[in-house]
Structure formats: structure tokens, C-alpha cells
Amino acid sequence: MANDAIKAWSKKLRQIYGIYTGVFVLFVIALWIGETLGLPQKYIGYAFLFGTIGVYAAIGFLSRTSAVAEYYVAGRKVPAVFNGMATASDWMSAASFIGMAGALYLQGYDGLAFIMGWTGGYVLLAVLVAPYLRKFGQFTIPDFLEERYGGKLPRIIGILSALIVSFAYLVAQVTGVGIITSRFVGIPFEAGVFLGLAGILVCSFLGGMRAVTWTQVAQYIILIVAYMIPVVAISYKHTGVPIPQIMYGQALQVIESKQKDLINDVKEIEIRQEWKKKANELNEKIKGLPQSWHTGKIELQEKLKNISANDPEKAKIEKTLKDYPKTPEEAKEKWTAAMKEAQAMSKPPKSYTSPPTDTKGIINFLALTLCLMVGTAGLPHVLMRFYTTPTVREARSSAAWALFFIFLLYFTAPAYAAFARSEVLTNIVGQAFTALPAWVSKWAAVGLISIKDMNGDGIIQFSEIIIKADAVVLATPEIAGLPYVVAGLIAAGGLAAALSTADGLLITMSNAISHDLYYKIINPNISPSTRVKLGKALLLVVAGIGAYVASFKLAIIVELVAWAFSLAAATFFPAVVFGIWDKRMNKAGAVSGMIVGLIVTGYYIIGSRFYGVDWFGIKTIAAGIFGLPANIIVALIVSRLTPAPDKNLQEFVDNIRYPKGAIKGGVEE
Amino acid sequence: MITKQTIEAYWRENKIVMYLIMLIWFVVSYVAAIFASSLNNIIIFGFPLGYYMGAQGSIAIFVILNYLYSMKMNELDKKYGLEED
């Protein structure tokens, strides 16, 4: 595509998305007017849910295609700014949109590993990988591995890693979609999952990468608008200035001084003792397993038998018995989690802005940051977005735009967290239980906030409040006193974030099977139209499996996603970067590096999570810190001990290093 | 006509740009995190500097780095006549 053509095309796209944004704003305003005129909240929820999914479906339909280049790489004509937006929403999942600010609220400085980790990776991507992948100009990451290293083995390892890394991530997104839709329109979780699934498929099924790209741009616009409005309002409420990103410094000061007072507060100490007692009791129960599980169950059953039918306590006991762990194993899992929570609550609040004080804490922080950064730059669904730009130049600029669009949200997340925490410390702590704000009761009802008068003094103490991470972003509209329409907007934004990421992952996996495995290895003779048809069929299959697994609501899913980063960091990243920057790297080196990286990381993940393996106190979530260097060292040593790659492969490296045309043997062809 | 010398010189300059950017990237994230405790003694507009670097400072610099990289590489392409058509 020539430069002028790109410019004209960009202009047209700007007009289309400009109109789209205007219509969306009008839509929100119309609903707001409706709300003031008495439109019930339920209908506002429906309007947001079906309105936005309807728009995505329309874009998906208009982008339908059966041409190979369109289906796999959106015809390689996505201008930098738009590829940046698509990459940003491809990248930012429900975890970024809803969970990130909550993690900062709960963890203070420690949570910053996610902020730096999930942005710093884009510097690695822009400088080390993106422009060269674009010059290579095929369709997938396994394509690159095979071309660069030769033979099917690198491709097969690439396919396996792509599937492992992407699947856990997909299930987490589908779960997120299920939670948002079910909470929002009041349908069961399983129904929410399948409704969400429909939402995902309408974006990708008819038009592959092309449809996914253009819906992702639309989804980015919705999610960023939704993210900004509540936090701007709360900044205005607290400080009088509607620029939260700058004004939350004041909130930080409030947090630090209030928390300092809490450390020696008599009542707080009293509650912390209660938590300690609770933790010890749980510890005893865990030690006494499986016997303690039996006795606990029998005790509850006895109690239920002896209670009179109209005692108000009866329903409570029935519920406790219903929620009682079904097996001793489940009891161990549940009680350990409860004990850890009680232990954490029994400690005085630590400084919100101070980094960890012990060496182990600092090392874990740095290790996690590195795993997240390198993992980000190694995730196949992000990497393959850089095949879709028209030129190498646009690929570079698109990496910069992508980071800018991600930055807009991440730069704002710390403000969300700080304002929410300062709100809790000033307007909740010290109040009477009878005067709880409406938003606390509302989110307590769905279990995101738990608040209990532990010492029976009728006053709320800080240690009596447990807030789940998701509550921070979800409750901010109500904290700021905004109309319900903004809560609806937040849900639409969360949905857009989850759907866009799910689509990117879905198409990565479908391509790994249809293109990399079937077309490139099993049957190279199939026609282009069959390839696209096969890809579409696989979208349905993979999405179906993803939704089926998500419907079990496994607790381990969140952890699996964190592990995906370590695995991507320890497998893909070194192989791709060496492939570009180290001409001497050969097949033996890259393959053995990837295998060792996968084994070491997998071993540490499983070992430290389930069997008490502990190397230097590194937590499971940062497992890649061992696999990444293992991969690099093994790859370097093995490649130097085996023959250099042949002339063709060396020329291949030359060719991808320089933006212009085909270069062979050091000269232009 | 592009010669071997041209592309070798281009690659050398590219590598310098890469190393420089990686150095800044490392300093604003990892080095700043290691010294976060001391940096927190400096407070600007209510923000302790150590916390600020992790929350906003480093990521703002990342954005600038990517922008500068893209500019600089476009310049290099032009200088060595390696721009795309």
C-alpha cells in the first residue's frame, strides 16, 4: 500500500469511528435522559448489553470475508493508529479493566508490578520484535519459527505453546463475560457464558482477523470512555479538579496519615486480635483434618435438629450447612484460604506507597515485573497483530500507538485505587453500622464487600472491612454519586474488554490449528477457501470448548492466566528475539531452549503451587524467572556447539532486518 | 544500489538505538524500583517519587521511548536509503 493510499484510508476510518463515537455518546445521553424520566434500571442494562453487542455484530457482518489475507491478517491494511487501538483492546482484558485498580487498592506498592509489567513489555515488543515480524510478513508466530529455524519441529513446539498459553487466557475471558452479563441483566452465570459466547462469535466468525480488528477498535472506544467517566467524577468530588491522574496525590497523603493512626488505635488492635484468634482456630481445624471435617459437619447437623422451626437462626444454619465443604480436600482448600485472609487481616495496615521492606519481597516484585514484561512481548495473540499493518514503518508506529492507548487506562488505574481507599478510610471507617452508605450494602449483597461488627461496638473499624478487588471499579460510580447509567457504562466497558481479548485469543488458536497444524503440516494441498472455512469451523469448536470449561467456574483459572505469562516469557520470547538479533542461532539451539524453558517453568509452577518446591523464595506467579534464563543459556550454548544455520537461513535474517524490499547476500535483489 | 557496507552500518546504528532504549527502560523500571524506598522521601504534589515512578512515571517514559524509537528508525531508514516504497 502506497503512502497516499494509507493516508486516504486512515482519513476515511477516522470519519467512520468519529461518527461512531458521537452516536455512542448520544446513546448514553439518551439513556441518561430516560433514567431521569423514570426508565427502570433493568432496561438501561438491557440497552447497554444488547446495544453494544448489536453494534459489534453489525461490524462483524460488514467485515465478512472469505479471502485468505483478509481472514488471517485483515488484508495487511490496518493503519498504525487503528492497529494501536485494536492491539490495546486485544491486550486489555477484563482483568485490566476491572481487576487492576482493585489489585492496587489491596496491595499498594506491590500491585505496581502489574502496571509496569503490562506496559514495559511493549517497549520490548516495539524495539526487539514488531517491525521485523512485519517485514517477515506471514500469518502466525509458528510460521516465523519454521521459516527462521527450518523444519517442522520449531513449528510444532510453537503450536503447542500457543495453544497452552492462549487457552487458559480464553477461559478466563469467557468467565469474565459470564460474570458481567449475569450480574448485569440478572440471568444465571451459565446463561451469561453462552450469551457472551454468541457475542464473541459474532465479532469473529464471518470475517476472521478483519472483523476482529474493526470490532476491537470499536470496543476500545467504549472501554476507554467508560473507564474515564467515574474516576473523573470522583476526582471532582474529592478535590474540585476533574483530572484524577494528577489529583490523586492528595488522596495518597490522606491514606498514609489515616493508616498511620490505625496502627495504634485500641479498637483496631482489638479487632486484629479477633482475626488472629480466628486464624489460629482455622489452623487447628486444618491440622485436625480429616477428623475435624467430620465433627464440624455433625455439629451443624445436630444444631439444626435441635433448633425450633421458627427460630430466625435456623435459616442461617441451613445456609452454613449448604456451603459446608463437600469433602475433606475441599475443606483444606477453603479453610486455608480463609486462614490466610484472617492472618492478613490480623496485621496492621502496611504503608500504601512503600515498597516491600524485605529482600525477598523486593526480589519477588522485580521477578514478577520481568515475567509480566517479557511474557507480554511473547504472547502470540499480541504478536500476530503486527502482521496486519501495511508497512514496517506503520508497524513501529503502531507499537507506539498501542502502548499509548494502553497507557491511557493504566495511567488512570492508580487514581481509581487511591480515591477508593481514601473514601473508605474517611467516610466508612468510624461510622455507625446503622449509617452504612447505600453502595456498601449493595455490593455486600453480592459478596464483593464483606463487613461485620466483630467487636459489637456498632462502629465500623478498618479491620472489619474486606473488599474484593473487583469492587473498586464497579462501586466507584456509586461512590461518586453518579446516575445508574454510568454503572451500565462500566459494565459495557468491562464487557468490551473481555470480548475483544477473547476474540483475539480465539482467532490465534483457530489459526494455530487450521493454518499451522492442518494446512502447513498435515495437508498443504487444500484450497484457500477450504482453509478459511476450516478456520471458521474451528472458531466455533474452540469457543464452545472454552465456554464449556468456563461454565465449571474453576477457581484455578485466575492462576492459570498468570502462569501463561511465565510460559510465554520462557518459550516464545527468546526464540523470536534470537531469530532476529542473533544470526548464529540455529534450530538446535532455539528448540532446546524452548523445551528447557517450558520444562523448567512448568516444573516450578506445579512444584511450588502444589508440592512445596521453593527456590530463593520466588512465588509461583513469577515462575518464568527461572525458565527464561534457562532458555537463553541453553539456546546460546547449544547453538554454539552445533553448526551455524545454512546460507538460506542467514539470508532470511538479513531480509527481515531491513525494511526495504528483498535483500539477499547483503545486496538488494 | 544497496551495498553490504550500507546495511552493516544501518544495523550498527540500529543496535546502538536499541541498547540506549533498553538502558533507559531498565533504569526507569527496575533501578527505580530497587531504590523506591529512598525515592519515596522526595514528595512532589503529594506523590512520593518511588511510588510515582512505578504507578505513572515509568509508563509515561515507556510511551515516549516507543515514540522516539519509531521516529529515530524512520530517520535511519531514510539516511541509508532503506525506506519502503
Side-chain angles (χ1 to χ4, degrees), chain A residues 109 366, chain B residues 23-37 39:
Chain A
Y109 187 92
L366 297 174
Chain B
L23 180 72
I24 302 172
W25 167 83
F26 183 78
V27 170
V28 298
S29 48
Y30 297 94
V31 178
I34 292 168
F35 294 104
S37 213
L39 288 175

Side-chain angles (χ1 to χ4, degrees), chain A residues 599-634:
Chain A
I599 290 174
V600 171
T601 312
Y603 174 82
Y604 196 74
I605 286 173
I606 293 168
S608 65
R609 173 67 174 80
F610 299 104
Y611 302 104
V613 175
D614 186 343
W615 295 345
F616 310 102
I618 291 287
K619 291 181 185 151
T620 311
I621 190 172
I625 202 68
F626 303 113
L628 173 64
N631 180 332
I632 293 173
I633 293 166
V634 168

